[in-house]
Structure formats: structure tokens, C-alpha cells
Amino acid sequence: MFLVLGDQLTRRPFESENALMVETSEFARRYEYHPKKLTLIFSAMRHYRDELREEGVDVRYVHADTFEEGFDAALDGGETVRVQRPAAHADALREAVEETGATVEFVGNPKFLVSPEEFEGWAEGRDGFRHETFYRHVRRETGYLMEDGEPEGGDWNYDDENRDFPPEGYETPEPPSFPPDETTRAAVEEVRDEYETWGESDGFDLPVTLEDALEALDDFTNNRLDEFGPYQDAMLRDNAKVNHSLLSSSLNLGLLHPDEVVERAVEAYRSGDARLNSVEGFVRQVIGWREYMRHVYRRRCDEMHETNALGATRDLPPVYYDAETDMECLRTVVERVRRTGYSHHIERLMVLANFALVYGADPHQLDDWFRLAYTDAYTWVTTPNVVGMGSYATDAVSTKPYASSGSYIDRMSDFCDGCAYDVDETTGEDACPFNSLYWDFLDENRDELGDNHRMSLMYSHLERKDEEEMEEIRERAEEVRRKAREGML
Ligand code: SF4
């Protein structure tokens, strides 16, 4: 018996003649998820089931309240259940299956490139490690973008070529859309009728099958990869996708495998169809950050769900749910997520997480929000990204918080031009809320961050402010927090 979890819809190494899939309603009720996320998972699982059956696999597809109930109904004890090692919490899965008397045998998981054993072998004996050293290790091991043992082009990264803002009138090719078929339409209806959700269910167009996902990969590598790099950090009011791959929901379901995705991108570089800075930036996301986050979470998940290094305990303000604010950046991005279940990584980090960070919101409330809101979100990816990188509630992922005033958003977006607030002002009722919150955040967290050498420049700017100016900043920050709390910002 091969157990297929809902986010393990992979092609390899499935060889069994019979399979078990369990669809649970308890999972879907854990949060008020985005309806497109639930639709995606249910529809992709059901398509996968149908495809397996067409290939002659005997699939038992169980609807149950919980996994435990599903296992009880489908397993009679004594059998060996083979299952791909999950991204995290493998012991909990083993326990749930073995309660029935069955035995679990974990096999490799092609959804990831680096196995836990490989990661542990690399990490052993290291006194702390960071993404960059891990990424270089994976490049060397795989040979991706390597030439005679050296990085392609002579550098490990080309970030300095990837921070441009597109020229006026810049247009990007429209990525393919995957309109719902009968199975997906049924899932849309079911989610609408049976679950409490947050977000719009109309307009579902995500890949739900391998065929769809491969078409999306083709489109990205053929039409958008070349210009992905230069504008990967740009945030545009009228263009949510820019040249982003939009492949994360398929990768995280297991429909696409990281090696094939990266190999296609490298191929595009070798054939002269995509520039090196774009390809390297994309490869880094897939074999660097994605793999690294998975392993950091796998190793430190218990701590990550508890930690709150900066003692941030304010409730997440209502704007994350209702998008009602005059802050153009926050309003645009929350509305975008509410409509589609997607926004790109810089909008996630430098608008949504940055605001929660400088506001002082509880990192675990923010983590829950990301998990329910994004179609590509699973605990193994959101928790290290949100609790670690976005909120700096632990130093497991980054060495400093990604806190910024409005100036970063002004530089990398077209949001500020149409905003009711003035990005050049810090105090006063028209001042950009990010500015006072940013300085107040530094001031509030002096004990935790003041000695961090990577923050020394920021603190040297803070030290130049006299007490009168700081008092005005604190007052404005307090007013911003009050208005945000009351939904009046
Ligand atoms: Fe956001 Fe401030 Fe710019 Fe308005 S002025 S869009 S609040 S960064």
C-alpha cells in the first residue's frame, strides 16, 4: 500500500499497485483558508486519483474528518504503508498510521532535492550555518550553473543586477490560465458550500494536473524567465505577476519537481534564451531558499512555533483581513491576496511582513495569516519564512530583521505615487505610517538589536535623532498603531 498525501502528488517513486489517499475536512476547517487554496488541493488530489486509476492503480480514496479516522477506515493493521517522507513532522505521521497496527516505511520525496540525510551530513560539525553556504554546497553537488568547479560567470550571485525598476509602460507576457474543468468546478462549489473561508473563490485558474503544471513551466522558461531577474523585486500596482514563475503552488503540491524546473531554467541559459542573472536568481530560489527553509523548519519546528525573540504581542491589525486602509501598498497587496491567493515574495516580505514587524504584531498570528491566505503555503515553508525571516522571532534564518521605512517601498514600487500618505514625512497626520513605526521599532528593540553589527548603520541614524524628534516619532507611531487597531489607518 502506498499512501499519497495531498501535497505529494509526484511522479516518482510511485510503483505500488494500490494506493490510499485521505481527504480530511478537519484540515480544511483548521483555518478560514483562502477558497482557492482548498479548491487547489481538493481538485489536484482528485485529478491525481483519477490519473492513477487510469494507469491501473487501485486507489482507495477516503473522505474523513481526520487523518486518524481515514487511516482507521482504510487500514486493517499488519500491512506496510509506504509513503514519501513528508517535509516535516514525519514522526507524527508515523504515529498516526502505526496506531492502526500498520507499519510505516518512508521513501524519498522528489518534491525536494536535498534529503534530510544529505542535509545532516552537510550540517554536521558546522558551528551554525547560513543559506549562502548551503546554496553554494547544493550548486557544487548538483553542478547546476557550474563550470569546471566554479560558478557560471565567475560569481555566486548577481543580485546587484536584479534590483531594477521597470521603465514606464513596461509590459509582461500574460501567463497561461487554467480554467476549471468539471472536477475543479465541483471543488469550487463544495468549498463555497461547506467551509468558512477568507478570499474570493471566483476566477480559479491554477494548474491542478501535471499537464497544466508542465505547460506553466514551459511558458515561464520560454516567455518570462529572461526578464525575471532584473525586475524580481519590483512591485507594481497594475501587474501582480511581473515575470515571476508562478510555479510555487505546483512545486509545493509535488506536481513539479525542483530538479526538472531548475534544469529547464539552466537549459534556457545555455541556449542563450535567458540571461545569467535571471537564471541564477531563479535557481537560488528553488535549490537554495526553498530547500534551506524546509530543513531549518524540519530541525527546529517545535521552537519556531513558540519563539518570539522580540516580544511582539500585538494582535494582527484588521487590515490583513479587510484591506481597508489608505496605505496604498498594504491595501493593494492584501486585496491582491484576497482576490488570488498570491503575491510575489517581495510584497510578502517588504510590505506584509515588514508592516507587521514594525507594528509589533505577534509573529504567530502573522504566520497563521500567511498559511491561510496563500495558495502555495504549507507550514514547512511559511513558518521559517514568516516567523524567522519576516518577523525575526528567531535568528534561525536571518542575521537581522528585514525592517524598513517607506523608502524601500518607494524605491521598488509605484505604490507611493498614488498613496494618501507622504513617504517623505515621518511625523504629522499625512506621514507614511512605515516611517514612524520603523524608527519606533528600532527604539523599542534597542536591547535585542542594538548590538547586532548588521544593524549598526540603522542605529547610527537613530542615535542622531534628538529627544524632541524621538518624542514626536513615538507619538506618531502610537497614533498609527491605534488607527491600525481600529481599522482607521
Ligand atoms: Fe506605503 Fe507609505 Fe508608500 Fe503609502 S507612502 S504606499 S503607506 S510606503
Side-chain angles (χ1 to χ4, degrees), residues 25-34 37-38 195-198 305 321 364-365 367-373 379 382-383:
S25 51
E26 187 263 333
F27 143 76
R29 291 202 171 87
R30 210 171 291 163
Y31 296 96
E32 290 189 5
Y33 284 110
H34 200 294
K37 175 175 184 152
L38 294 181
Y195 297 99
E196 296 286 326
T197 55
W198 174 82
H305 288 290
Y321 291 92
H364 303 289
Q365 289 188 23
D367 188 24
D368 287 346
W369 183 85
F370 268 86
R371 198 172 310 127
L372 72 85
T379 310
T382 54
T383 301

Side-chain angles (χ1 to χ4, degrees), residues 26 28 49 58 67 91 96 134 140-141 154 196 201 225 280 300 316 322 348 367 391 416 425 436 441:
E26 187 263 333
R49 169 200 63 195
D58 179 11
F67 279 109
D91 290 343
F134 170 74
R140 286 195 186 95
E141 286 295 304
E196 296 286 326
S201 62
L225 172 61
E280 190 284 321
R300 298 177 68 167
L316 194 65
D322 61 23
R348 299 186 202 204
D367 188 24
S391 306
C416 299
E425 295 295 331
S436 56
F441 165 81

Side-chain angles (χ1 to χ4, degrees), residues 327-330 406 409-410 415-416 419 421-423 432-434:
M327 295 175 71
E328 187 67 19
C329 52
L330 207 49
I409 296 172
D410 190 29
F415 296 146
C416 299
C419 184
Y421 292 107
D422 186 343
V423 73
C432 169
F434 269 107

Side-chain angles (χ1 to χ4, degrees), residues 51-125:
E51 283 167 17
L52 285 181
R53 284 178 176 159
E54 275 169 31
E55 288 166 21
V57 178
D58 179 11
V59 184
R60 175 123 190 235
Y61 196 90
V62 178
H63 292 265
D65 272 350
T66 63
F67 279 109
E68 287 77 6
E69 278 182 34
F71 296 152
D72 268 346
L75 301 173
D76 49 24
E79 64 264 76
T80 297
V81 174
R82 300 174 75 227
V83 56
Q84 292 175 16
R85 181 179 292 279
H89 305 295
D91 290 343
L93 176 66
R94 180 189 292 284
E95 227 171 84
V97 174
E98 292 191 344
E99 279 282 299
T100 66
T103 309
V104 171
E105 187 192 318
F106 287 121
V107 301
N109 186 341
K111 205 169 83 170
F112 299 102
L113 204 57
V114 179
S115 70
E117 294 73 22
E118 286 172 88
F119 189 91
E120 294 309 319
W122 169 78
E124 197 183 346

Side-chain angles (χ1 to χ4, degrees), residues 314-322 355-356 359 361 365 481 484-485:
R314 296 182 179 102
D315 284 338
L316 194 65
V319 60
Y320 285 79
Y321 291 92
D322 61 23
F355 186 78
Y359 175 87
Q365 289 188 23
R481 289 197 180 98
R485 216 167 36 241

Side-chain angles (χ1 to χ4, degrees), residues 67-309:
F67 279 109
E68 287 77 6
E69 278 182 34
F71 296 152
D72 268 346
L75 301 173
D76 49 24
E79 64 264 76
T80 297
V81 174
R82 300 174 75 227
V83 56
Q84 292 175 16
R85 181 179 292 279
H89 305 295
D91 290 343
L93 176 66
R94 180 189 292 284
E95 227 171 84
V97 174
E98 292 191 344
E99 279 282 299
T100 66
T103 309
V104 171
E105 187 192 318
F106 287 121
V107 301
N109 186 341
K111 205 169 83 170
F112 299 102
L113 204 57
V114 179
S115 70
E117 294 73 22
E118 286 172 88
F119 189 91
E120 294 309 319
W122 169 78
E124 197 183 346
R126 281 169 199 271
D127 183 17
F129 46 80
R130 290 291 164 196
H131 167 261
E132 187 61 28
T133 44
F134 170 74
Y135 169 63
R136 292 181 188 190
H137 164 78
V138 181
R139 289 267 301 270
R140 286 195 186 95
E141 286 295 304
T142 57
Y144 293 143
L145 290 182
M146 297 296 289
E147 196 72 61
D148 299 328
E150 294 299 318
E152 189 76 40
D155 288 316
W156 288 102
N157 85 61
Y158 297 89
D159 278 353
D160 54 349
E161 295 172 42
N162 286 348
R163 296 190 186 112
D164 292 347
F165 191 76
E168 187 83 26
Y170 178 71
E171 287 185 9
T172 51
E174 192 53 35
S177 169
F178 303 94
D181 64 3
E182 203 179 315
T183 304
T184 303
R185 280 198 299 275
V188 171
E189 288 303 317
E190 188 180 318
V191 168
R192 198 175 280 156
D193 292 347
E194 294 184 20
Y195 297 99
E196 296 286 326
T197 55
W198 174 82
E200 287 179 24
S201 62
D202 288 345
F204 182 94
D205 68 346
L206 293 166
V208 290
T209 63
L210 172 62
E211 198 185 339
D212 291 350
L214 288 172
E215 188 185 330
L217 173 60
D218 271 355
D219 173 77
F220 172 61
T221 49
N222 293 340
N223 302 327
R224 289 176 295 121
L225 172 61
D226 181 42
E227 293 192 12
F228 160 74
Y231 307 132
Q232 68 170 327
D233 288 357
M235 299 177 276
L236 303 174
R237 217 175 327 166
D238 298 325
N239 186 342
K241 298 163 184 169
V242 200
N243 293 303
H244 288 272
S245 75
L246 315 174
L247 299 176
S248 53
S249 67
S250 297
L251 273 164
N252 293 350
L253 277 175
L255 294 173
L256 293 177
H257 299 168
D259 48 359
E260 73 186 332
V261 165
V262 166
E263 280 159 26
R264 286 293 304 276
V266 173
E267 216 176 275
Y269 166 66
R270 299 254 179 253
S271 60
D273 292 330
R275 66 194 82 179
L276 181 56
N277 52 307
S278 289
V279 175
E280 190 284 321
F282 179 69
V283 168
R284 170 181 295 259
Q285 286 188 345
V286 179
I287 67 169
W289 283 114
R290 182 174 180 274
E291 299 278 334
Y292 182 73
M293 289 302 195
R294 180 263 173 131
H295 288 293
V296 170
Y297 180 71
R298 179 182 58 75
R299 294 174 124 226
R300 298 177 68 167
C301 51
D302 291 343
E303 170 207 331
M304 279 193 181
H305 288 290
E306 298 290 327
T307 186
N308 194 342

Side-chain angles (χ1 to χ4, degrees), residues 432-446:
C432 169
F434 269 107
N435 294 343
S436 56
L437 290 179
Y438 169 72
W439 294 114
D440 191 54
F441 165 81
L442 292 181
D443 190 35
E444 262 194 348
N445 291 287
R446 214 180 267 270

